[in-house]
Amino acid sequence: MTSGLEKIKENLGKNIRKYRKILKLTQFELGIQMDVTEDYIQALETGRRTPSAKILGKLADTLKVEPYELLK
């Protein structure tokens, strides 16, 4: 059974990838726009990392969505 946090991280990763692809950005390009590494973006998309509130806001701004859209 998946814990609540694991489910959130899974959904977050899927949504980051979804909105990144809609904008036709690579992980590298998204990382550059956010001033983080490509490895960090990959870790978020695979659920290995959990972003801070600041990074979540920056992700939402960069991907042109509201923060809650990344978490649902």
Side-chain angles (χ1 to χ4, degrees):
M1 186 158 118
T2 306
S3 74
L5 178 59
E6 292 303 312
K7 186 65 176 166
I8 289 169
K9 287 167 59 174
E10 181 182 321
N11 288 344
L12 175 65
K14 287 179 183 178
N15 287 325
I16 292 169
R17 182 181 190 104
K18 171 185 160 183
Y19 291 114
R20 176 177 61 78
K21 290 197 172 274
I22 287 171
L23 295 176
K24 297 180 172 50
L25 294 173
T26 65
Q27 291 175 338
F28 180 75
E29 292 166 333
L30 178 57
I32 286 181
Q33 288 187 26
M34 292 187 53
D35 198 27
V36 299
T37 66
E38 176 181 9
D39 289 340
Y40 183 72
I41 299 297
Q42 184 180 35
L44 290 174
E45 287 187 3
T46 58
R48 291 182 287 124
R49 297 285 303 265
T50 305
S52 66
K54 180 179 178 180
I55 292 292
L56 183 63
K58 202 170 184 181
L59 268 167
D61 288 345
T62 304
L63 295 172
K64 300 176 177 38
V65 297
E66 293 295 323
Y68 76 88
E69 293 290 336
L70 296 176
L71 298 171
K72 68 178 191 174

